[in-house]
Amino acid sequence: MIDAIASLGRSSLNALVVFGRAFLFLLQVLASLDIVIRRFGLTVVQIYSVGVRSLLIIIVSGLFVGMVLGYQGYITLVNFGAAEALGGVVALSLVRELGPVVTALLFAGRAGSALTAELGLMKTTEQLSAMEMMAVNPYRRIFAPRFVAGFLSMPLLAAIFSAVGVMGGYIVGVGMLGVDSGAYFSQMQSVTDWNEDVLSGVIKSIVFGFVVTWIAVFQGFNAMPTSEGISRATTQTVVVSSLAILGLDFILTGLMFGAG
Amino acid sequence: MKVRFFELAVGVFVLLGVAALFYLAVQVSNVTDYHDRDTYTVTAYFDNIGGLKTRAPVTVSGVRIGRVSEIRYDPEQFRAEVKLAIRSEHDYLPMDTQAAIHTAGLLGEQYIALEPGGDYDTLQDGDEVMFTQSALVLENLIGRFLTNMGSD
C-alpha cells in the first residue's frame, strides 16, 4: 500500500523533472536563436528535411480529407435542400480545424519522429559530446536550426493542406455530385472570414508547430543513449505531441470562438 | 551544388505555402471583395431590411452586379439607409428602378434584387432608388394572417 503511494509520488516527481528539463532546454534553445540569422544555411537544410519532405503526405492527405468532406457534407446538406452550402462547410471545417490539427498530427508523425530519432542517435553515438569537446555549441549548431525549421514549416504546410482540401472538396462536390461551381465558391466566400477564420487557423498552426518541434527536439535530446531508448523517445514524441495538439486545440478553439 | 539544391527546394516550398495562403485569402475568404474596383454608389431606403448584411450581393435578374457597401439607420426618415456599390460597367439602370430584398434558398442569405423600370434617365453616383420593397419578416406575415383570420 505504502509502496503504491511511493511509486505514485516517484512517477509524479519524475514527470515534473522531465517537464522542468524540457523548459530549461527550450530556454537554452531560444537563447541561441541568433545562429539562425547568422548562418541561415543550416536552417535551410533543416526546412528541407522537415518541411519539403513532408509536402507529399500533406498534399495527398489534404486532397483526400477535402474529398471526404465534400461527400459527407453533401450527403448531410442535401437533406435540407442546401447542397449549395457545401463550399462553406468544406472551407470552414478545413481552415478552422482540420487544416491545422490534421497537419500537426501528420507533422508529428512524419517530421517529429524523424527529428527525435536523428537527435537520439546523435546522442547515442556521442556526436553531441564530441561537438562539445570541439567547443561547438550543439544548441546553436544542432538544436536551434531544427527548432526554427519546424516552427516555420508548420503554418506553410497547414495552409497548403487547407488549400488542397478546398480543391478536393471542389472535385467531389462540383465535379462528381453536381453542386453549382459558382455557388460552391460564393457560399464559401460569404461564410469564411479572413481575420476570424483563416488567421485563427494560421495562429493555431503556428502554436502546434512550436509545440511539436519542441517536444520532438527535446525527446531526442533527452533520449536514453541506447537503441531501446531511441525507439522509446520516438514513440513518446508521437504520443505526447498528438495529445498536446488535441488538448491545445480544444483550449485554442475555446479562446478564439467560444467567447464571441 | 548540394547547398543550391536545398535552397531551391526550400524556396519552392515557401512559394507553395505563400501561394496556398494567397489562395485561401482570395478564393476561400472574401478579402478581394474589399476592392471591387470602379463602382458607383446608389442609396436606397427600406422600411425594414430584415437580415440583410453588408457585402450582400446586388443583382439584376439574378445576375450579380454589385454589393451592399453600407447599412445604417437614418434617424430623420426613420428608415434603414442602404448604400449599394454597383460596378461601373452596369450604368444602364433606369431612374425608376425598383429595389427589393429577397432571400436566396431556404437557409440562404438575403440579397437585393433590382428591377429595372422604363425611364430614359439612368441612375448615377449618389442617386437614390425611389421604389423599394422591404424584406419579408415572417412574424409580420403571421401576425397579419392571424388578424385576417379573426376578422372573418
Side-chain angles (χ1 to χ4, degrees):
Chain A
M1 179 63 192
I2 291 182
D3 275 355
I5 296 178
S7 79
L8 178 71
R10 188 170 346 112
S11 50
S12 351
L13 281 178
N14 281 342
L16 270 183
V17 167
V18 171
F19 196 77
R21 211 183 295 159
F23 191 70
L24 288 179
F25 175 77
L26 177 69
L27 287 185
Q28 232 163 336
V29 171
L30 291 181
S32 41
L33 277 186
D34 59 311
I35 190 77
V36 173
I37 300 163
R38 229 180 283 168
R39 285 191 62 187
F40 194 65
L42 290 176
T43 312
V44 167
V45 175
Q46 291 309 319
I47 293 181
Y48 176 79
S49 73
V50 167
V52 178
R53 299 186 63 188
S54 307
L55 261 184
L56 188 68
I57 187 172
I58 292 296
I59 289 177
V60 172
S61 2
L63 191 68
F64 277 99
V65 167
M67 295 203 307
V68 169
L69 271 179
Y71 262 125
Q72 295 287 14
Y74 181 82
I75 291 166
T76 312
L77 288 171
V78 84
N79 288 334
F80 304 104
E84 289 78 29
L86 182 66
V89 172
V90 171
L92 273 192
S93 34
L94 274 172
V95 164
R96 280 188 182 177
E97 287 297 329
L98 290 175
V101 173
V102 177
T103 310
L105 292 176
L106 291 171
F107 186 73
R110 162 68 187 74
S113 58
L115 273 180
T116 307
E118 187 193 9
L119 294 176
L121 193 69
M122 277 188 177
K123 191 181 177 192
T124 310
T125 52
E126 297 185 331
Q127 293 181 43
L128 296 181
S129 322
M131 269 184 192
E132 275 174 23
M133 293 292 287
M134 294 186 292
V136 176
N137 183 347
Y139 285 97
R140 302 163 62 96
R141 184 69 177 72
I142 300 293
F143 298 130
R146 282 168 175 72
F147 187 78
V148 171
F151 178 66
L152 289 182
S153 303
M154 241 314 279
L156 295 176
L157 289 173
I160 293 173
F161 185 95
S162 299
V164 173
V166 167
M167 291 179 215
Y170 182 86
I171 293 173
V172 168
V174 178
M176 294 162 69
L177 299 173
V179 176
D180 180 57
S181 160
Y184 183 83
F185 281 116
S186 70
Q187 254 295 322
M188 188 181 289
Q189 286 166 5
S190 71
V191 296
T192 318
D193 189 71
W194 170 253
N195 285 324
E196 227 163 79
D197 302 319
V198 181
L199 277 193
S200 64
V202 171
I203 291 171
K204 269 188 187 177
S205 63
I206 292 175
V207 173
F208 294 159
F210 184 86
V211 171
V212 171
T213 1
W214 178 20
I215 292 173
V217 176
F218 174 70
Q219 288 288 351
F221 168 75
N222 199 39
M224 272 194 303
T226 57
S227 34
E228 195 206 343
I230 296 177
S231 104
R232 194 182 296 167
T234 314
T235 316
Q236 280 282 314
T237 296
V238 176
V239 173
V240 175
S241 15
S242 305
L243 290 178
I245 290 162
L246 296 173
L248 272 176
D249 181 51
F250 179 72
I251 295 172
L252 285 177
T253 307
L255 286 178
M256 285 166 175
F257 303 109
Chain B
M1 184 58 211
K2 191 84 171 156
V3 170
R4 180 143 177 81
F5 167 72
F6 285 136
E7 283 174 350
L8 208 71
V10 170
V12 170
F13 170 59
V14 172
L15 274 184
L16 257 182
V18 172
L21 267 182
F22 186 72
Y23 179 80
L24 290 180
V26 172
Q27 189 71 277
V28 176
S29 71
N30 30 27
V31 169
T32 41
D33 264 16
Y34 285 116
H35 54 85
D36 246 352
R37 334 125 312 252
D38 292 348
T39 57
Y40 66 96
T41 306
V42 205
T43 315
Y45 292 92
F46 291 94
D47 292 325
N48 193 327
I49 60 164
L52 190 75
K53 298 195 177 63
T54 44
R55 306 178 25 68
V58 176
T59 62
V60 188
S61 310
V63 179
R64 196 188 143 150
I65 60 166
R67 65 190 168 85
V68 173
S69 59
E70 192 188 334
I71 297 176
R72 62 181 204 97
Y73 184 67
D74 184 356
E76 280 157 28
Q77 295 202 35
F78 293 111
R79 297 164 91 191
E81 180 188 324
V82 178
K83 290 228 154 76
L84 315 177
I86 299 171
R87 286 203 289 273
S88 15
E89 67 254 36
H90 304 284
D91 54 357
Y92 41 73
L93 295 169
M95 278 302 278
D96 54 351
T97 293
Q98 214 187 82
I101 299 179
H102 287 184
T103 309
L106 193 58
L107 312 163
E109 40 183 339
Q110 293 194 297
Y111 65 98
I112 293 199
L114 297 179
E115 185 84 28
D119 208 314
Y120 288 113
D121 293 329
T122 56
L123 283 171
Q124 304 297 328
D125 189 48
D127 279 352
E128 186 193 325
V129 178
M130 281 180 290
F131 306 108
T132 62
Q133 187 190 326
S134 293
L136 216 59
V137 179
L138 208 58
E139 283 83 351
N140 291 350
L141 212 65
I142 295 172
R144 211 173 298 155
F145 176 68
L146 286 180
T147 5
N148 286 351
M149 289 274 285
S151 64
D152 279 345

